[in-house]
Amino acid sequence: MTAESEKAPVAVGSRAGVPDWLRRAATLNELWTFVILLALVVFFTIAAPGKFFTTYDITQIAVNAAIYLVLGVGMTFVIITAGIDLSIGSVLVLAAVAAGEYNLHHGGPASGWGTVAICVVIALAVGTAWGALQGVVVASGKVPPLIVTLGGLGAALGIAELATGGQDPAGAASTHLQNSLGFGKLLGIPWMVILAAVVTAVFGAVLAATRFGDHTLAIGSNPTAVRRAGIPVGRHLVKVYGLMGLLAGLGAVMWLASYGTTSIAGHSTDNLKVITAVVLGGTSLFGGRGSVLGTVIGVFIPAVLTTGLIVIGVQQYWQDVAVGVVLVVAVYIDQMRRKTRERA
């Protein structure tokens, strides 16, 4: 038995007839996700020559994807722990409403940089507090994350609607915030894209090269073993959900900077888009596996898909259908990969 098991890898390798490095590359989630992204770009470029993948399109795709990328980074950590957060769109709205209401009562569009700074702190604090609260319920109450965050989705949105009467307040963002983060550029690159890139780089390094990242991956793989190793799983989950809330708060700041309003009714599908991107990027819904790099690529697939469908004249309603189908396919592929690993 032992001799046969020792020979098995050699037989597989010889039967495959390809170098080890090529077989390893072929199993990389990021590689296959990038191939899908590249295929979409090629398809829409051919379908709409001269209209797609122009400099303007690339810039718009990057700007439109920036907020979802920030949310996707947080969602990557959550899903790696075998959790989920359906409330991110509502938390973004709640944080935007809290910051926007403060801005309205302290100068409105003409408010100064001091007010802008306070609004940013308010948005980040509200998002972090809400996320951490959900983490506490998940960790201590042993309530499934799906139920906790589904309840959080309705509660956060309800509080935002109560505070505003269900109407988007005018002048919720300072002109300073919009002219800088919203519309400003550095060397031709929008500040929105730069901020998203910085967030991605920082938390990508956190996941790949820190104890926090190691614990996150370990909890998703085997929480029982992690507890036996003396790692406080509950406390770590609170931090992970707090991180998701923090980045939802940052997304609120970015939204206010871009649109100058809270868009209370405009974030109902944020969770669908972000979860789709994260799963497409190779993060397993069963936990224990994922990367921020994969999420980066995954975020751009729905962004390119949506922009491409617009360019070739497909109705907006079909865009939501396409994103939903992509999510189902991504989950199916994830299940197939999981079964393959279990058999191996």
Side-chain angles (χ1 to χ4, degrees), residues 28-40 280 297-298 301:
L28 289 176
N29 295 314
E30 292 85 353
L31 176 62
W32 288 112
T33 308
F34 182 74
V35 169
I36 294 172
L37 176 61
L38 185 61
L40 285 174
L280 276 174
I297 302 172
I301 289 179

Side-chain angles (χ1 to χ4, degrees), residues 42-276:
V42 171
F43 171 78
F44 287 121
T45 302
I46 295 174
K51 296 181 180 180
F52 183 78
F53 211 58
T54 62
T55 301
Y56 174 78
D57 282 334
I58 295 172
T59 301
Q60 286 303 113
I61 289 172
V63 171
N64 293 339
I67 295 177
Y68 295 114
L69 181 54
V70 169
L71 296 176
V73 170
M75 187 66 77
T76 301
F77 280 81
V78 170
I79 293 181
I80 284 176
T81 65
I84 199 76
D85 190 346
L86 300 179
S87 69
I88 54 173
S90 296
V91 176
L92 187 155
V93 169
L94 180 61
V97 165
E101 287 293 323
Y102 182 87
N103 188 76
L104 280 172
H105 294 87
H106 294 81
S111 59
W113 283 110
T115 299
V116 170
I118 294 174
C119 287
V120 170
V121 172
I122 290 174
L124 297 180
V126 169
T128 303
W130 193 274
L133 176 61
Q134 293 186 145
V136 169
V137 177
V138 169
S140 62
K142 307 301 180 183
V143 183
L146 178 70
I147 302 302
V148 173
T149 59
L150 184 61
L153 181 156
L157 184 60
I159 293 172
E161 290 174 334
L162 286 171
T164 61
Q167 302 296 319
D168 293 310
S174 168
T175 302
H176 290 306
L177 179 63
Q178 289 195 274
N179 289 339
S180 54
L181 178 60
F183 309 128
K185 295 181 179 182
L186 176 64
L187 302 177
I189 304 175
W191 277 110
M192 291 277 289
V193 176
I194 294 173
L195 177 57
V198 170
V199 169
T200 300
V202 169
F203 287 103
V206 168
L207 180 60
T210 69
R211 183 177 297 177
F212 185 86
D214 291 340
H215 289 178
T216 301
L217 290 161
I219 288 172
S221 297
N222 194 332
T224 302
V226 172
R227 287 190 181 92
R228 290 174 179 171
I231 298 173
V233 173
R235 189 184 308 169
H236 190 86
L237 288 176
V238 173
K239 293 178 181 177
V240 168
Y241 281 90
L243 172 61
M244 179 70 262
L246 171 68
L247 294 180
L250 180 58
V253 174
M254 297 169 73
W255 189 272
L256 287 171
S258 296
Y259 302 100
T261 182
T262 53
S263 298
I264 292 176
H267 297 275
S268 59
T269 61
D270 282 2
N271 49 14
L272 171 64
K273 293 176 181 177
V274 173
I275 293 171
T276 299

Side-chain angles (χ1 to χ4, degrees), residues 291-303:
S291 72
V292 172
L293 174 60
T295 296
V296 172
I297 302 172
V299 163
F300 279 98
I301 289 179

